[in-house]
Structures are given as structure tokens and as C-alpha cells.
Amino acid sequence: MIMDTVSCLLPRLDVDIATHGPDGLDAVVRMELPEVRGVRYVVSWQIPDEYVFDQFPEELMRPDLVVCRVDCRGVTGNRNNALAHSVAPVVLIADNDLKYTSRNLEAVMEVFDSNPGVELAVFRYDGDPRPFPEGEMDIGRKMPKGFHVASMQMAFRREAVERAGLRFDERFGPGAERLKGCDDDVFFLAARKAGLTIRYFPVTVTAHPGPSSGYLPITSTGFLEGMGAYHRLEWPVTSPLRIMLKAWRMHRSGQSPLFRSLRYLWRGYFHLPGSR
């Protein structure tokens, strides 16, 4: 059956995994998720209602894993579905191409047990060529220069996020109608604006195979539009200057031609207020 019942002993940590398409469950199987005491995996499977599959993967028939099927658009809607089915006090955001070890997940629980005042924790991961900071730091009010937070680095107290009314903004991200980037940034920005207590910990929580999209050429105009809209959200006063600087830097790095970047960054900037 697709939806398992929650065990009598509630988990301490829910790992929310977004997956999609006919091969979505096979991708989760390939993750080889470890069995860890206190950990439950919430798999949100984005698939049309009319899709009929032949056989549920035997590897996913586990008491510590629940699959929640949803027919929606975009990765952010998929993440929100996983969050809606989460019951643990702490939630870790995940994708179907990551690798976890028992020690990774135990470390997440230990961080929250040792830091009862922290509502959202940011971790590091294997696979990013950039060096992560070596020391703990508060990052709710001020972010270190050049520091970027991806969804797979975030874990949070579910009650704090629900109290603040936070969800992933479904106008953004892969699969969205227009603004196809910066969904992680928008969620993290909303958490900061909501006043959550946020702290970075130099603890590795997962491994991401292959280069991050932040180092690849930008071929999606929708990604650029999402970036332009995000600039307007974070820097409502200075975003016009920042957009021009961002376009120049992407041109210099070879990620995207200057005038193409400017065109679509501005389109996202002006599109956001009318987006619903």
C-alpha cells in the first residue's frame, strides 16, 4: 500500500525526500537509505493521479518509510506534501540523488538535542568544492559573505516552522510555471524574516554526487527569472544595482552571457509582484 500507518513510537527525525515521475521510487531505492533508530523517511512521490504502476518496490516496504503520492506541479509543491505528512519534531530536507549514512542522521539528531534553542540548523555536505566554515555561527540575522544554503543543508523544528506558517513558495523552483530557480533561497529567506533562531554547524549530513548547479552554465531562462525575483524579495531597495552586478559576474564566470542574463533577471524582477 502507498501510505503506511505511523508506528506507535513517533520518530525523532523525519527525512523528507522529494521524488517524481515513473522512476521516482526506483531513485529512492538507489539511495540505499540506512535504518537508524528514531529516523523515519517521508517520500513524497509526485506523479499524476491517473498513473498506474505495476509493483511497489520491495526495498521500500519498510516500517521506517512512508510514501505519500501527490499530483501537483513543481518541486516546492512536492516538498510541501512531504512536510504535511511529517510527524517528527525535527525535519531534514532531502532529494532522491543524495547519499546518507547512519552517522549523518545521528549527527542531525544530536545537534538538535544539544541545542534546544535552535529552530533551524544549516549543515555542510560532501560534494561542494567550496570550503565550508569550520566553526559554528549564528546566521539568522547576518549571512557570511558568499555563503549559500541549499535545501539539503537544512533541518528544522517542525513546530517552529508551523508556528511561523512557513512553506516552500510554489511560485519558485524546478517545475514552477515561470520562476524556476531559487526555491531554496526563498524558503531560507522566509525563515530568517520570520525570526527563527538559525545556526550553522560544521557537521556533514549527506553527500551530493556530481557538481552543484551553481558551478554549471545556466541554460534555463526560467532559472534566471527566479533569480531576479529572489533579488527583489531579499533586497527590495538595492536589487536593481545587485541585478546588474550579478549579470556581470555570471558573464565573467562564463555561466551566462551578459545581455541574456540582464534580460531574464529583469523579467523575473518585474514578474514577481503579479505572481500567485
Side-chain angles (χ1 to χ4, degrees):
M1 122 179 133
I2 293 294
M3 184 72 183
D4 294 340
T5 56
V6 180
S7 65
C8 296
L9 297 177
L10 292 179
R12 295 168 58 200
L13 173 68
D14 275 339
V15 181
D16 284 8
I17 303 170
T19 195
H20 69 283
D23 298 326
L25 296 185
D26 292 333
V28 177
V29 170
R30 291 192 292 271
M31 294 177 73
E32 299 180 336
L33 298 167
E35 293 185 19
V36 182
R37 183 178 179 84
V39 174
R40 185 180 73 140
Y41 301 100
V42 180
V43 178
S44 180
W45 184 25
Q46 193 175 57
I47 194 78
D49 287 336
E50 61 271 17
Y51 177 77
V52 178
F53 64 100
D54 297 328
Q55 186 174 1
F56 193 81
E58 183 177 348
E59 296 89 339
L60 301 186
M61 294 180 181
R62 304 166 37 168
D64 63 343
L65 188 148
V66 57
V67 176
C68 313
R69 181 169 172 167
V70 65
D71 185 1
C72 68
R73 179 172 182 168
V75 68
T76 45
N78 207 2
R79 294 201 193 286
N80 286 335
N81 181 59
L83 184 55
H85 287 89
S86 297
V87 298
V90 177
V91 174
L92 175 68
I93 303 300
D95 288 312
N96 65 8
D97 60 348
L98 301 174
K99 290 293 184 180
Y100 293 93
T101 66
S102 298
R103 184 61 198 135
N104 291 154
L105 302 177
E106 289 166 353
V108 174
M109 293 186 287
E110 290 169 4
V111 163
F112 280 92
D113 288 345
S114 302
N115 298 272
V118 171
E119 295 173 311
L120 191 154
V122 175
F123 301 99
R124 61 186 180 187
Y125 65 93
D126 289 334
D128 194 323
R130 297 171 298 183
F132 286 103
E134 291 298 327
E136 293 182 19
M137 67 182 78
D138 292 321
I139 56 175
R141 294 184 178 273
K142 185 177 180 180
M143 290 281 288
K145 186 176 181 180
F147 190 74
H148 175 75
V149 177
S151 58
M152 61 186 165
Q153 296 174 254
M154 290 188 280
F156 48 77
R157 297 191 190 275
R158 182 173 55 84
E159 186 273 335
V161 165
E162 291 178 349
R163 184 179 66 246
L166 293 178
R167 288 294 184 269
F168 286 89
D169 192 326
E170 296 185 19
R171 296 174 297 177
F172 289 82
E177 182 178 354
R178 186 163 179 177
L179 308 175
K180 300 184 184 299
C182 292
D183 45 304
D184 300 347
D185 305 87
V186 171
F187 180 86
F188 187 67
L189 177 63
R192 292 171 60 200
K193 287 185 174 181
L196 266 62
T197 303
I198 304 173
R199 190 167 180 83
Y200 165 78
F201 296 90
V203 173
T204 300
V205 294
T206 189
H208 182 269
S212 170
S213 59
Y215 300 98
L216 300 174
I218 299 174
T219 59
S220 168
T221 57
F223 185 88
L224 291 169
E225 289 193 45
M227 192 180 296
Y230 172 76
H231 273 65
R232 187 164 192 165
L233 285 177
E234 181 163 14
W235 303 286
V237 176
T238 62
S239 52
L241 292 175
R242 291 176 181 272
I243 281 175
M244 290 187 286
L245 180 60
K246 183 67 175 179
W248 175 249
R249 286 176 172 169
M250 288 191 293
H251 168 68
R252 289 288 302 271
S253 68
Q255 280 192 294
S256 180
L258 178 61
F259 292 108
R260 176 177 177 271
S261 298
L262 283 171
R263 177 184 179 185
Y264 289 103
L265 286 169
W266 282 119
R267 283 186 62 173
Y269 173 89
F270 286 113
H271 175 71
L272 182 62
S275 297
R276 290 294 183 269

CSV table of all heavy atoms in Angstrom, one decimal, residues 13 89-93 107-124 136-140 143 147 149-158 160-161 187-188 191-192 196-203 205:
chain,number,residue,atom,x,y,z
A,13,LEU,N,13.3,12.1,14.0
A,13,LEU,CA,13.7,12.8,12.8
A,13,LEU,C,12.9,12.3,11.6
A,13,LEU,O,13.0,11.0,11.4
A,13,LEU,CB,15.2,12.7,12.6
A,13,LEU,CG,15.8,13.2,11.3
A,13,LEU,CD1,15.6,14.8,11.3
A,13,LEU,CD2,17.2,12.8,11.1
A,89,PRO,N,9.5,15.7,15.5
A,89,PRO,CA,9.8,17.1,16.0
A,89,PRO,C,10.9,17.8,15.1
A,89,PRO,O,10.9,19.0,15.0
A,89,PRO,CB,10.3,16.9,17.4
A,89,PRO,CG,10.7,15.5,17.5
A,89,PRO,CD,9.9,14.7,16.6
A,90,VAL,N,11.7,17.0,14.4
A,90,VAL,CA,12.8,17.6,13.6
A,90,VAL,C,12.6,17.0,12.2
A,90,VAL,O,12.4,15.8,12.0
A,90,VAL,CB,14.2,17.3,14.1
A,90,VAL,CG1,15.2,17.9,13.2
A,90,VAL,CG2,14.4,17.9,15.5
A,91,VAL,N,12.8,17.9,11.2
A,91,VAL,CA,12.6,17.5,9.8
A,91,VAL,C,13.9,17.9,9.0
A,91,VAL,O,14.4,19.0,9.1
A,91,VAL,CB,11.4,18.2,9.1
A,91,VAL,CG1,11.4,17.9,7.6
A,91,VAL,CG2,10.1,17.8,9.8
A,92,LEU,N,14.4,17.0,8.2
A,92,LEU,CA,15.6,17.2,7.4
A,92,LEU,C,15.1,17.1,5.9
A,92,LEU,O,14.4,16.2,5.5
A,92,LEU,CB,16.7,16.1,7.6
A,92,LEU,CG,17.9,16.2,6.7
A,92,LEU,CD1,18.7,17.4,7.0
A,92,LEU,CD2,18.7,14.9,6.9
A,93,ILE,N,15.5,18.2,5.1
A,93,ILE,CA,15.1,18.2,3.7
A,93,ILE,C,16.0,17.4,2.9
A,93,ILE,O,17.3,17.5,3.0
A,93,ILE,CB,15.0,19.7,3.2
A,93,ILE,CG1,14.1,20.5,4.1
A,93,ILE,CG2,14.6,19.7,1.8
A,93,ILE,CD1,12.7,20.0,4.1
A,107,ALA,N,24.0,12.4,13.7
A,107,ALA,CA,24.5,13.7,14.0
A,107,ALA,C,23.5,14.8,14.0
A,107,ALA,O,23.6,15.8,14.8
A,107,ALA,CB,25.7,14.0,13.0
A,108,VAL,N,22.5,14.8,13.0
A,108,VAL,CA,21.5,15.8,13.0
A,108,VAL,C,20.7,15.7,14.3
A,108,VAL,O,20.4,16.8,14.9
A,108,VAL,CB,20.5,15.5,11.8
A,108,VAL,CG1,19.3,16.5,11.8
A,108,VAL,CG2,21.3,15.7,10.5
A,109,MET,N,20.3,14.6,14.7
A,109,MET,CA,19.5,14.5,16.0
A,109,MET,C,20.3,15.0,17.2
A,109,MET,O,19.8,15.6,18.1
A,109,MET,CB,19.1,13.0,16.2
A,109,MET,CG,18.1,12.5,15.2
A,109,MET,SD,17.4,10.9,15.5
A,109,MET,CE,18.8,9.8,15.0
A,110,GLU,N,21.6,14.7,17.2
A,110,GLU,CA,22.5,15.1,18.3
A,110,GLU,C,22.6,16.6,18.3
A,110,GLU,O,22.6,17.2,19.4
A,110,GLU,CB,23.9,14.5,18.1
A,110,GLU,CG,23.9,13.0,18.4
A,110,GLU,CD,25.2,12.4,18.0
A,110,GLU,OE1,26.2,13.1,17.6
A,110,GLU,OE2,25.4,11.1,18.1
A,111,VAL,N,22.7,17.3,17.2
A,111,VAL,CA,22.7,18.7,17.1
A,111,VAL,C,21.5,19.4,17.8
A,111,VAL,O,21.6,20.3,18.6
A,111,VAL,CB,22.9,19.2,15.7
A,111,VAL,CG1,22.6,20.7,15.6
A,111,VAL,CG2,24.4,19.0,15.2
A,112,PHE,N,20.3,18.9,17.4
A,112,PHE,CA,19.1,19.4,18.0
A,112,PHE,C,18.9,19.1,19.4
A,112,PHE,O,18.4,19.9,20.2
A,112,PHE,CB,17.9,19.0,17.1
A,112,PHE,CG,17.7,19.8,15.9
A,112,PHE,CD1,18.3,19.3,14.7
A,112,PHE,CD2,17.0,21.0,15.9
A,112,PHE,CE1,18.2,20.1,13.5
A,112,PHE,CE2,16.9,21.7,14.7
A,112,PHE,CZ,17.5,21.3,13.5
A,113,ASP,N,19.4,17.9,19.8
A,113,ASP,CA,19.3,17.6,21.3
A,113,ASP,C,20.2,18.5,22.1
A,113,ASP,O,19.9,18.8,23.2
A,113,ASP,CB,19.7,16.1,21.5
A,113,ASP,CG,18.7,15.1,21.0
A,113,ASP,OD1,17.5,15.5,20.7
A,113,ASP,OD2,19.1,13.9,20.8
A,114,SER,N,21.4,18.8,21.5
A,114,SER,CA,22.3,19.6,22.3
A,114,SER,C,22.1,21.1,22.2
A,114,SER,O,22.7,21.9,22.9
A,114,SER,CB,23.8,19.3,21.8
A,114,SER,OG,24.1,18.0,21.9
A,115,ASN,N,21.2,21.5,21.3
A,115,ASN,CA,20.9,23.0,21.1
A,115,ASN,C,19.4,23.2,21.1
A,115,ASN,O,18.8,23.5,20.0
A,115,ASN,CB,21.6,23.4,19.8
A,115,ASN,CG,23.1,23.3,19.7
A,115,ASN,OD1,23.8,24.2,20.1
A,115,ASN,ND2,23.5,22.1,19.2
A,116,PRO,N,18.8,23.2,22.3
A,116,PRO,CA,17.3,23.3,22.3
A,116,PRO,C,16.8,24.6,21.8
A,116,PRO,O,15.6,24.7,21.5
A,116,PRO,CB,17.0,23.1,23.8
A,116,PRO,CG,18.3,23.4,24.5
A,116,PRO,CD,19.4,23.0,23.6
A,117,GLY,N,17.6,25.7,21.8
A,117,GLY,CA,17.2,27.0,21.3
A,117,GLY,C,17.2,27.1,19.8
A,117,GLY,O,16.6,28.1,19.3
A,118,VAL,N,17.9,26.2,19.1
A,118,VAL,CA,18.0,26.4,17.6
A,118,VAL,C,16.7,25.8,17.0
A,118,VAL,O,16.3,24.7,17.3
A,118,VAL,CB,19.2,25.6,17.1
A,118,VAL,CG1,19.2,25.5,15.6
A,118,VAL,CG2,20.5,26.3,17.6
A,119,GLU,N,16.2,26.6,16.1
A,119,GLU,CA,14.9,26.2,15.4
A,119,GLU,C,15.2,25.8,14.0
A,119,GLU,O,14.5,25.0,13.4
A,119,GLU,CB,14.0,27.4,15.4
A,119,GLU,CG,13.5,27.8,16.8
A,119,GLU,CD,12.7,29.0,16.8
A,119,GLU,OE1,13.1,30.1,16.2
A,119,GLU,OE2,11.6,29.0,17.4
A,120,LEU,N,16.3,26.3,13.3
A,120,LEU,CA,16.7,25.8,12.0
A,120,LEU,C,18.2,25.7,12.0
A,120,LEU,O,18.9,26.7,12.4
A,120,LEU,CB,16.2,26.8,10.9
A,120,LEU,CG,16.3,26.3,9.5
A,120,LEU,CD1,15.3,27.0,8.6
A,120,LEU,CD2,17.7,26.6,8.9
A,121,ALA,N,18.7,24.5,11.6
A,121,ALA,CA,20.1,24.3,11.6
A,121,ALA,C,20.5,24.1,10.1
A,121,ALA,O,19.8,23.5,9.3
A,121,ALA,CB,20.5,23.0,12.4
A,122,VAL,N,21.7,24.7,9.8
A,122,VAL,CA,22.3,24.6,8.5
A,122,VAL,C,23.6,23.8,8.6
A,122,VAL,O,24.4,24.1,9.5
A,122,VAL,CB,22.6,26.0,7.9
A,122,VAL,CG1,23.3,25.8,6.6
A,122,VAL,CG2,21.3,26.7,7.7
A,123,PHE,N,23.8,22.8,7.8
A,123,PHE,CA,24.9,21.9,7.9
A,123,PHE,C,25.7,22.0,6.6
A,123,PHE,O,25.4,22.7,5.7
A,123,PHE,CB,24.4,20.4,8.1
A,123,PHE,CG,23.6,20.2,9.3
A,123,PHE,CD1,22.2,20.2,9.2
A,123,PHE,CD2,24.2,20.1,10.5
A,123,PHE,CE1,21.4,20.0,10.4
A,123,PHE,CE2,23.4,19.9,11.7
A,123,PHE,CZ,22.0,19.9,11.6
A,124,ARG,N,26.8,21.2,6.5
A,124,ARG,CA,27.6,21.1,5.3
A,124,ARG,C,27.4,19.7,4.7
A,124,ARG,O,26.8,18.8,5.3
A,124,ARG,CB,29.0,21.4,5.6
A,124,ARG,CG,29.7,20.4,6.5
A,124,ARG,CD,31.1,20.9,6.8
A,124,ARG,NE,31.9,20.0,7.7
A,124,ARG,CZ,33.1,20.3,8.2
A,124,ARG,NH1,33.6,21.5,7.9
A,124,ARG,NH2,33.6,19.5,9.1
A,136,GLU,N,31.0,27.0,14.3
A,136,GLU,CA,29.6,27.3,14.4
A,136,GLU,C,29.4,28.8,14.4
A,136,GLU,O,30.2,29.6,14.8
A,136,GLU,CB,29.0,26.7,15.8
A,136,GLU,CG,29.0,25.3,15.9
A,136,GLU,CD,28.4,24.8,17.2
A,136,GLU,OE1,27.7,25.6,17.8
A,136,GLU,OE2,28.7,23.7,17.6
A,137,MET,N,28.2,29.2,13.9
A,137,MET,CA,27.9,30.6,13.9
A,137,MET,C,26.4,30.8,13.7
A,137,MET,O,25.7,30.0,13.1
A,137,MET,CB,28.6,31.3,12.8
A,137,MET,CG,28.2,30.9,11.4
A,137,MET,SD,29.1,31.8,10.1
A,137,MET,CE,30.6,30.8,10.1
A,138,ASP,N,25.9,31.9,14.3
A,138,ASP,CA,24.5,32.3,14.1
A,138,ASP,C,24.4,33.0,12.7
A,138,ASP,O,25.2,33.9,12.4
A,138,ASP,CB,24.1,33.3,15.2
A,138,ASP,CG,23.9,32.6,16.5
A,138,ASP,OD1,23.5,31.4,16.6
A,138,ASP,OD2,24.3,33.2,17.5
A,139,ILE,N,23.4,32.6,11.9
A,139,ILE,CA,23.3,33.1,10.6
A,139,ILE,C,21.9,33.6,10.3
A,139,ILE,O,21.5,33.8,9.2
A,139,ILE,CB,23.7,32.1,9.5
A,139,ILE,CG1,22.9,30.8,9.6
A,139,ILE,CG2,25.2,31.9,9.5
A,139,ILE,CD1,23.2,29.8,8.5
A,140,GLY,N,21.1,33.8,11.4
A,140,GLY,CA,19.7,34.2,11.2
A,140,GLY,C,19.6,35.7,10.8
A,140,GLY,O,18.8,36.1,10.0
A,143,MET,N,24.4,36.8,7.1
A,143,MET,CA,25.0,35.7,6.4
A,143,MET,C,26.4,36.0,6.1
A,143,MET,O,26.8,37.1,5.7
A,143,MET,CB,24.2,35.4,5.1
A,143,MET,CG,22.8,34.9,5.3
A,143,MET,SD,22.9,33.1,5.7
A,143,MET,CE,23.3,32.5,4.1
A,147,PHE,N,28.2,32.9,1.3
A,147,PHE,CA,27.6,31.6,1.9
A,147,PHE,C,26.2,31.4,1.3
A,147,PHE,O,25.4,32.3,1.4
A,147,PHE,CB,27.6,31.7,3.4
A,147,PHE,CG,27.2,30.4,4.1
A,147,PHE,CD1,28.2,29.4,4.2
A,147,PHE,CD2,26.0,30.2,4.7
A,147,PHE,CE1,27.9,28.2,4.8
A,147,PHE,CE2,25.7,29.1,5.3
A,147,PHE,CZ,26.6,28.1,5.4
A,149,VAL,N,22.9,28.6,1.0
A,149,VAL,CA,22.3,27.5,1.7
A,149,VAL,C,21.4,26.8,0.7
A,149,VAL,O,20.4,27.3,0.2
A,149,VAL,CB,21.4,28.0,2.9
A,149,VAL,CG1,20.7,26.8,3.6
A,149,VAL,CG2,22.3,28.7,3.9
A,150,ALA,N,21.6,25.5,0.5
A,150,ALA,CA,20.8,24.6,-0.3
A,150,ALA,C,19.8,23.8,0.6
A,150,ALA,O,20.1,23.7,1.8
A,150,ALA,CB,21.6,23.6,-1.1
A,151,SER,N,18.7,23.4,0.0
A,151,SER,CA,17.7,22.7,0.8
A,151,SER,C,18.3,21.5,1.6
A,151,SER,O,17.9,21.2,2.7
A,151,SER,CB,16.6,22.3,-0.1
A,151,SER,OG,17.0,21.4,-1.1
A,152,MET,N,19.2,20.7,1.0
A,152,MET,CA,19.7,19.5,1.6
A,152,MET,C,20.6,19.8,2.8
A,152,MET,O,21.0,18.9,3.6
A,152,MET,CB,20.6,18.7,0.6
A,152,MET,CG,21.7,19.5,0.0
A,152,MET,SD,22.6,18.5,-1.3
A,152,MET,CE,23.6,19.8,-2.0
A,153,GLN,N,20.9,21.1,3.0
A,153,GLN,CA,21.7,21.5,4.2
A,153,GLN,C,20.8,21.9,5.4
A,153,GLN,O,21.3,22.1,6.5
A,153,GLN,CB,22.6,22.7,3.9
A,153,GLN,CG,23.6,22.5,2.9
A,153,GLN,CD,24.4,23.8,2.5
A,153,GLN,OE1,24.2,24.3,1.4
A,153,GLN,NE2,25.2,24.3,3.4
A,154,MET,N,19.5,21.9,5.2
A,154,MET,CA,18.6,22.5,6.2
A,154,MET,C,17.8,21.4,7.0
A,154,MET,O,17.3,20.5,6.4
A,154,MET,CB,17.6,23.4,5.6
A,154,MET,CG,18.1,24.7,5.1
A,154,MET,SD,16.8,25.9,4.5
A,154,MET,CE,16.5,25.3,2.9
A,155,ALA,N,17.8,21.6,8.3
A,155,ALA,CA,16.9,20.8,9.1
A,155,ALA,C,16.2,21.8,10.1
A,155,ALA,O,16.9,22.8,10.5
A,155,ALA,CB,17.6,19.7,9.9
A,156,PHE,N,15.0,21.5,10.5
A,156,PHE,CA,14.3,22.5,11.4
A,156,PHE,C,13.4,21.8,12.3
A,156,PHE,O,13.0,20.6,12.1
A,156,PHE,CB,13.6,23.5,10.5
A,156,PHE,CG,12.7,22.9,9.4
A,156,PHE,CD1,11.5,22.4,9.7
A,156,PHE,CD2,13.2,23.0,8.1
A,156,PHE,CE1,10.7,21.8,8.7
A,156,PHE,CE2,12.4,22.4,7.1
A,156,PHE,CZ,11.1,21.9,7.4
A,157,ARG,N,13.0,22.5,13.4
A,157,ARG,CA,12.0,22.0,14.3
A,157,ARG,C,10.6,22.2,13.6
A,157,ARG,O,10.3,23.4,13.3
A,157,ARG,CB,12.1,22.7,15.6
A,157,ARG,CG,13.4,22.5,16.3
A,157,ARG,CD,13.4,23.0,17.8
A,157,ARG,NE,14.7,22.9,18.3
A,157,ARG,CZ,15.3,21.8,18.9
A,157,ARG,NH1,14.6,20.7,19.0
A,157,ARG,NH2,16.5,21.9,19.4
A,158,ARG,N,9.9,21.2,13.5
A,158,ARG,CA,8.6,21.3,12.7
A,158,ARG,C,7.7,22.2,13.4
A,158,ARG,O,7.0,23.0,12.7
A,158,ARG,CB,8.0,19.8,12.6
A,158,ARG,CG,6.7,19.8,11.8
A,158,ARG,CD,6.3,18.3,11.6
A,158,ARG,NE,6.2,17.6,12.9
A,158,ARG,CZ,5.1,17.7,13.7
A,158,ARG,NH1,4.0,18.4,13.3
A,158,ARG,NH2,5.1,17.0,14.8
A,160,ALA,N,8.3,24.9,15.1
A,160,ALA,CA,8.7,26.3,14.8
A,160,ALA,C,8.3,26.8,13.4
A,160,ALA,O,7.8,27.9,13.2
A,160,ALA,CB,10.2,26.5,15.0
A,161,VAL,N,8.5,25.9,12.5
A,161,VAL,CA,8.1,26.2,11.1
A,161,VAL,C,6.6,26.3,10.9
A,161,VAL,O,6.1,27.2,10.3
A,161,VAL,CB,8.7,25.1,10.1
A,161,VAL,CG1,8.0,25.2,8.8
A,161,VAL,CG2,10.2,25.3,10.0
A,187,PHE,N,12.8,30.0,0.6
A,187,PHE,CA,12.4,29.4,1.9
A,187,PHE,C,13.3,29.8,3.0
A,187,PHE,O,12.8,30.2,4.1
A,187,PHE,CB,12.5,27.8,1.8
A,187,PHE,CG,12.1,27.1,3.1
A,187,PHE,CD1,10.7,26.9,3.3
A,187,PHE,CD2,13.0,26.7,4.0
A,187,PHE,CE1,10.3,26.2,4.5
A,187,PHE,CE2,12.6,26.1,5.2
A,187,PHE,CZ,11.3,25.9,5.5
A,188,PHE,N,14.6,29.8,2.8
A,188,PHE,CA,15.6,30.2,3.9
A,188,PHE,C,15.4,31.7,4.2
A,188,PHE,O,15.4,32.1,5.4
A,188,PHE,CB,17.0,29.9,3.4
A,188,PHE,CG,18.0,30.2,4.5
A,188,PHE,CD1,18.1,29.4,5.6
A,188,PHE,CD2,18.9,31.2,4.4
A,188,PHE,CE1,19.0,29.6,6.6
A,188,PHE,CE2,19.9,31.4,5.4
A,188,PHE,CZ,19.9,30.6,6.5
A,191,ALA,N,12.4,32.0,6.4
A,191,ALA,CA,12.7,31.6,7.8
A,191,ALA,C,13.5,32.7,8.5
A,191,ALA,O,13.2,33.0,9.7
A,191,ALA,CB,13.5,30.3,7.8
A,192,ARG,N,14.4,33.4,7.9
A,192,ARG,CA,15.1,34.5,8.5
A,192,ARG,C,14.2,35.6,8.8
A,192,ARG,O,14.2,36.2,9.9
A,192,ARG,CB,16.2,35.0,7.6
A,192,ARG,CG,17.4,33.9,7.4
A,192,ARG,CD,18.3,34.4,6.4
A,192,ARG,NE,18.9,35.7,6.7
A,192,ARG,CZ,19.5,36.5,5.8
A,192,ARG,NH1,19.5,36.1,4.5
A,192,ARG,NH2,20.1,37.6,6.2
A,196,LEU,N,13.2,33.0,13.0
A,196,LEU,CA,13.6,31.8,13.5
A,196,LEU,C,15.1,31.9,14.0
A,196,LEU,O,15.9,32.6,13.4
A,196,LEU,CB,13.5,30.7,12.5
A,196,LEU,CG,12.2,29.8,12.5
A,196,LEU,CD1,11.0,30.7,12.2
A,196,LEU,CD2,12.3,28.7,11.5
A,197,THR,N,15.4,31.2,15.0
A,197,THR,CA,16.8,31.1,15.5
A,197,THR,C,17.5,30.1,14.6
A,197,THR,O,17.2,28.9,14.6
A,197,THR,CB,16.8,30.6,17.0
A,197,THR,OG1,16.0,31.5,17.8
A,197,THR,CG2,18.3,30.6,17.5
A,198,ILE,N,18.5,30.6,13.9
A,198,ILE,CA,19.2,29.8,12.8
A,198,ILE,C,20.7,29.8,13.1
A,198,ILE,O,21.3,30.8,13.4
A,198,ILE,CB,18.9,30.4,11.4
A,198,ILE,CG1,17.4,30.5,11.1
A,198,ILE,CG2,19.6,29.6,10.4
A,198,ILE,CD1,17.1,31.3,9.9
A,199,ARG,N,21.2,28.6,13.1
A,199,ARG,CA,22.7,28.5,13.4
A,199,ARG,C,23.3,27.5,12.4
A,199,ARG,O,22.7,26.4,12.0
A,199,ARG,CB,22.8,28.0,14.8
A,199,ARG,CG,24.3,28.0,15.3
A,199,ARG,CD,24.4,27.9,16.8
A,199,ARG,NE,25.7,27.9,17.3
A,199,ARG,CZ,26.4,29.0,17.6
A,199,ARG,NH1,25.8,30.2,17.3
A,199,ARG,NH2,27.6,29.0,18.0
A,200,TYR,N,24.5,27.8,12.0
A,200,TYR,CA,25.3,26.9,11.1
A,200,TYR,C,26.2,26.0,12.0
A,200,TYR,O,26.8,26.4,13.0
A,200,TYR,CB,26.2,27.7,10.2
A,200,TYR,CG,27.3,26.8,9.5
A,200,TYR,CD1,27.0,26.0,8.5
A,200,TYR,CD2,28.6,26.9,10.0
A,200,TYR,CE1,28.0,25.2,7.9
A,200,TYR,CE2,29.6,26.1,9.5
A,200,TYR,CZ,29.3,25.3,8.4
A,200,TYR,OH,30.3,24.5,7.8
A,201,PHE,N,26.2,24.7,11.6
A,201,PHE,CA,27.0,23.7,12.3
A,201,PHE,C,28.0,23.0,11.3
A,201,PHE,O,27.5,22.6,10.3
A,201,PHE,CB,26.2,22.7,13.0
A,201,PHE,CG,25.3,23.2,14.1
A,201,PHE,CD1,24.0,23.7,13.8
A,201,PHE,CD2,25.8,23.3,15.4
A,201,PHE,CE1,23.2,24.2,14.8
A,201,PHE,CE2,25.0,23.8,16.4
A,201,PHE,CZ,23.7,24.2,16.1
A,202,PRO,N,29.3,23.0,11.6
A,202,PRO,CA,30.2,22.3,10.7
A,202,PRO,C,30.1,20.8,10.8
A,202,PRO,O,31.1,20.1,11.0
A,202,PRO,CB,31.6,22.9,11.1
A,202,PRO,CG,31.4,23.1,12.6
A,202,PRO,CD,30.0,23.6,12.8
A,203,VAL,N,28.9,20.3,10.5
A,203,VAL,CA,28.6,18.9,10.6
A,203,VAL,C,28.2,18.4,9.2
A,203,VAL,O,27.3,19.0,8.6
A,203,VAL,CB,27.5,18.6,11.6
A,203,VAL,CG1,27.1,17.1,11.6
A,203,VAL,CG2,28.0,19.0,13.0
A,205,VAL,N,26.1,16.2,6.7
A,205,VAL,CA,24.9,15.4,6.8
A,205,VAL,C,24.5,14.6,5.6
A,205,VAL,O,23.7,13.7,5.7
A,205,VAL,CB,23.7,16.4,7.1
A,205,VAL,CG1,23.8,17.0,8.5
A,205,VAL,CG2,23.5,17.4,6.0
